[in-house]
Amino acid sequence: MAGHENGLGRVVLAGAPLGNIGDASTRLREVLASADVIAAEDTRRLNRLARDLGVTVSGRIVSYFEGNDERRTPELVEALAGGAVVAVVTDGGMPSVSDPGYRLVRAALDAGYPVTAAPGPSAVTTALALSGLPSDRFAFEGFLPRTGSGRRSRLRELAAEPRTLVFFEAPHRIVSALADLAAVFGADRPAAVCRELTKTYEEVRRGTLAELAEWAAAGEPRGEITLVVGGAPVVAATVPDDEELRAAVAEREAEGESRRDAIQAVATEFGLKKRDVYNIVHSA
């Protein structure tokens, strides 16, 4: 797999199973067997993964995690300059999604080296699909701030977000995170706690934030947790009465708009037909 058709090295982001080895792709096996360099979040886990897959790793294995990625990235770019194929593998899921990888992707692209992927499982979309919450529009927020004040501040910024929200959370913080979510988003907001996805003890607990906070406080769930929270309910806009509409048009006219433009602007603002606003204004 060494080299590239144009003589350049390249980066391959390799998606690893979340826990069930049966989810490993054929391409993941090929990448692990043939990459010149494998940058692994945890080298021990990588060796165990390769052993479970029956793959013999022929390339050089280097550690690449949040604590050393800034220092290690230039070394990997240097390997790319020599024509190497550098695979990035994290403990599970796709690299660079709240995991190491983004820094190397950015550095490789800036230096002119191609980046591709051997796609694999994702805890984000897996939890979203299992949550039972709307999945047509969602936002991934990664890990919330570790401190209570920072977490509550961030949640206040997200409280009105109408899209379904997906978070990662550490097991020792899930109790306080759910309590803060219930306090800031409202006790009745629907949510799901997805724990140990694809593993033997997989669990998806669905309910309101208040119910989930009570459940977590009683049992302190362990393992890798993905939290899915329903978006803020959309509040229907109140349609003003005729007098209020006339006043809104008059106010715009007083500010220099033509009556035609003022009527159009008010109709757009309140989601009304221009003809209806026109009739109301001229019926006075």
Side-chain angles (χ1 to χ4, degrees), residues 14-250:
L18 301 176
N20 190 323
I21 198 67
D23 295 331
S25 69
T26 300
R27 283 196 64 201
L28 174 63
R29 290 178 167 86
E30 294 172 350
V31 169
L32 294 180
S34 57
D36 302 299
V37 180
I38 300 179
E41 183 177 13
D42 186 323
T43 58
R44 292 170 300 181
R45 287 198 181 192
L46 171 65
N47 285 321
R48 184 164 63 247
L49 174 64
R51 185 170 61 251
D52 291 344
L53 293 176
V55 171
T56 299
V57 175
S58 60
R60 178 166 60 96
I61 299 174
V62 299
S63 64
Y64 190 66
F65 54 92
E66 186 178 352
N68 77 348
D69 58 346
E70 184 173 3
R71 171 177 57 84
R72 185 54 56 79
T73 295
E75 300 174 14
L76 296 174
V77 173
E78 186 177 347
L80 294 172
V85 171
V86 177
V88 182
V89 182
T90 57
D91 293 345
M94 282 299 296
S96 81
V97 181
S98 278
D99 277 327
Y102 170 77
R103 191 185 295 273
L104 177 59
V105 169
R106 189 66 264 164
L109 294 175
D110 289 344
Y113 299 106
V115 178
T116 188
S122 167
V124 177
T125 51
T126 301
L128 179 67
L130 293 177
S131 70
L133 295 169
S135 57
D136 53 337
R137 299 178 68 235
F138 71 94
F140 174 58
E141 287 291 325
F143 285 93
L144 287 166
R146 298 181 180 184
T147 64
S149 58
R151 181 170 54 243
R152 288 187 290 274
S153 177
R154 183 73 185 109
L155 290 177
R156 283 192 287 271
E157 295 173 359
L158 295 170
E161 170 59 60
R163 293 173 295 179
T164 299
L165 296 169
V166 183
F167 303 94
F168 288 159
E169 193 52 271
H172 63 278
R173 290 196 297 268
I174 188 62
V175 173
S176 55
L178 284 168
D180 285 343
L181 277 160
V184 177
F185 282 14
D188 294 332
R189 185 83 69 93
V193 176
C194 305
R195 187 179 69 85
E196 294 290 89
L197 289 171
T198 77
K199 300 178 183 178
T200 302
Y201 298 104
E202 174 180 288
E203 180 180 20
V204 179
R205 178 74 59 160
R206 305 171 184 87
T208 66
L209 284 171
E211 290 169 343
L212 293 174
E214 183 179 358
W215 163 77
E220 295 186 349
R222 300 181 182 278
E224 295 183 354
I225 294 173
T226 304
L227 180 60
V228 186
V229 183
V234 177
V235 179
T238 302
V239 179
D241 60 26
D242 291 1
E243 286 303 320
E244 290 172 323
L245 287 172
R246 293 189 190 103
V249 172

